[in-house]
Every structure is written in structure tokens, then in C-alpha cells.
Amino acid sequence: MSNLKRVPIVIVLAARVLLFAAILINGPVPARAQTAAPNQKTFPARGVVRELKPDGKTVVIQHEDVTNYMPAMTMPFDVKDPDELKGLQPGDAVTFRINVTDRDAWIDQITKLSAAQSGQPTQPAARPNWRVVRDVELLKVGDALPEYHFTNELDRAVSTREFKGQALVFTFFFTRCPYPTFCPFLSHSFEDTQAKLQAMAGGPKNWH
């Protein structure tokens, strides 16, 4: 490791930096609006409950392919009405409705299926060719970042050394992820934060 150049850049990733930036610029984030949003779309779905989160409003469901929306996978969903989750247990087969807008998503109309109705959801396709990366020592807050090389969304080679002396924010996400509170949320938040920083009179300039 001694031959690695260490770059004095503090990196803060994804949700934490977005939340910090939003609070810094806009103040505390308001509660999610309960009124119907424009461009709302709905998709019927079916799956099996795998976990109920302690917050009382999040359920992890292994769902089948959602026609015209997304492939089968296991993922967490939020509900606006916690009563929707009452009586559910891991292993329950359910039908439900996915609601999406440009920047929000939730499920409702959750119906538990009987044993005769349930069957088994389609399993997500196997993902071959996994590559296990070598173990690395985890960085801690305040550590200098070793030089890393990536390929960005423009297919250009990028080195962290290019950003020496700047505050750098980056994240990784799936470019085809459709669910608006997942990868699109990160993309929108980066875009919003960048626009607000650029518009601040006398605001900080040492960022990328």
C-alpha cells in the first residue's frame, strides 16, 4: 500500500451527504405529502412477504415480474397507511398495487392470499459471473482517500487524483432502476443540490 498516493479528499456517499446538503440548503426535510401527485401511475403486483421492518411502514417483498415496469426481485416497499401491514407475517403471499410518481413511490391495496391462491412467485433470474473482490481495509471518517480509478457515465476514465483539494461527492446506482425512491432519487438529489449550490450568491465553489 505504500506506493499508493494518498489524496486529501473527504468523500461522503449517497444518503448521508444528500440529507446533509438538503438540510444545509433548505432546512429540515418536510414530511412526505399525502395528496395525490401528478403523473401518478399504478401497477398490479404479486409476491411473498420476506420481512416487516420495525418502523411499521416498510415491508420487504419478493415480487414477481411487474408487467411493463420492472423484473422480479426482492426489495423494500413503503406504505402510506401502516394499517395496510397489519396481520402480515413473513411467508405470506400477497397481491398489492405499486404507485409511482416522478419522485415518490408506495404500495397499497395489500391483500393476503389463501394457500390455494398463493402458489410460488417467480424467482429472480440467476446472476452468473459474479466476481469476488479482494478484501480491503475499510476507510474511516477523516482518512485520506487512496487514488482510485473509475469509468464514469460518459465512459471516460476518472481518477480521484483529479479532484485533489475539492469536496467530492459521488455514488453508484443502476441506470435502469425505475423505482423513484431508489436510484432515481439519488440522481434527482444530486441534480437539485448542484443547481442550488450554483445559484447561491457567494456560495462555496470548491466542490464537484
Side-chain angles (χ1 to χ4, degrees), residues 43-46 63-72 77 96 98:
F43 301 89
R46 176 185 174 110
H63 65 79
E64 301 178 1
D65 288 343
V66 180
T67 304
N68 298 322
Y69 191 58
M70 63 180 173
F77 293 98
F96 57 100
I98 298 174

Side-chain angles (χ1 to χ4, degrees), residues 77-94:
F77 293 98
D78 284 346
V79 296
K80 287 183 180 280
D81 180 5
D83 286 344
E84 292 265 10
L85 303 181
K86 285 186 176 179
L88 292 180
Q89 298 292 332
D92 288 344
V94 293

Side-chain angles (χ1 to χ4, degrees), residues 18-207:
L18 297 176
L19 178 60
F20 173 77
I23 293 175
L24 178 67
I25 296 170
N26 297 322
V29 179
R32 178 183 291 174
Q34 297 298 314
T35 55
N39 303 321
Q40 182 173 326
K41 297 179 181 179
T42 61
F43 301 89
R46 176 185 174 110
V48 173
V49 174
R50 293 306 180 199
E51 182 182 357
L52 293 159
K53 296 293 187 180
D55 63 8
K57 66 174 186 177
T58 306
V59 56
V60 178
I61 298 178
Q62 179 185 354
H63 65 79
E64 301 178 1
D65 288 343
V66 180
T67 304
N68 298 322
Y69 191 58
M70 63 180 173
M73 65 182 75
T74 301
M75 60 185 287
F77 293 98
D78 284 346
V79 296
K80 287 183 180 280
D81 180 5
D83 286 344
E84 292 265 10
L85 303 181
K86 285 186 176 179
L88 292 180
Q89 298 292 332
D92 288 344
V94 293
T95 59
F96 57 100
R97 185 176 69 169
I98 298 174
N99 304 274
V100 295
T101 67
D102 291 340
R103 297 205 177 192
D104 199 6
W106 66 97
I107 65 172
D108 60 12
Q109 299 184 7
I110 304 171
T111 302
K112 182 177 176 179
L113 301 178
S114 67
Q117 294 172 315
S118 61
Q120 293 295 325
T122 302
Q123 297 292 324
R127 300 181 184 276
N129 302 322
W130 282 104
R131 181 173 64 89
V132 179
V133 298
R134 63 183 176 86
D135 290 334
V136 295
E137 184 178 352
L138 296 178
L139 296 177
K140 297 180 291 294
V141 174
D143 284 351
L145 184 72
E147 182 178 352
Y148 290 105
H149 298 268
F150 305 98
T151 300
N152 71 7
E153 72 279 7
L154 303 177
D155 201 32
R156 185 175 75 85
V158 175
S159 168
T160 52
R161 183 172 57 183
E162 299 175 33
F163 306 100
K164 181 178 180 179
Q166 300 183 55
L168 175 64
V169 182
F170 69 94
T171 190
F172 302 92
F173 58 88
F174 295 100
T175 58
R176 295 184 180 181
C177 169
Y179 207 65
T181 57
F182 284 25
C183 296
F185 171 80
L186 292 176
S187 181
H188 285 310
S189 295
F190 270 65
E191 182 180 19
D192 291 347
T193 301
Q194 176 175 295
K196 289 168 184 173
L197 282 169
Q198 290 173 335
M200 290 175 66
K205 304 297 181 184
N206 192 25
W207 58 269

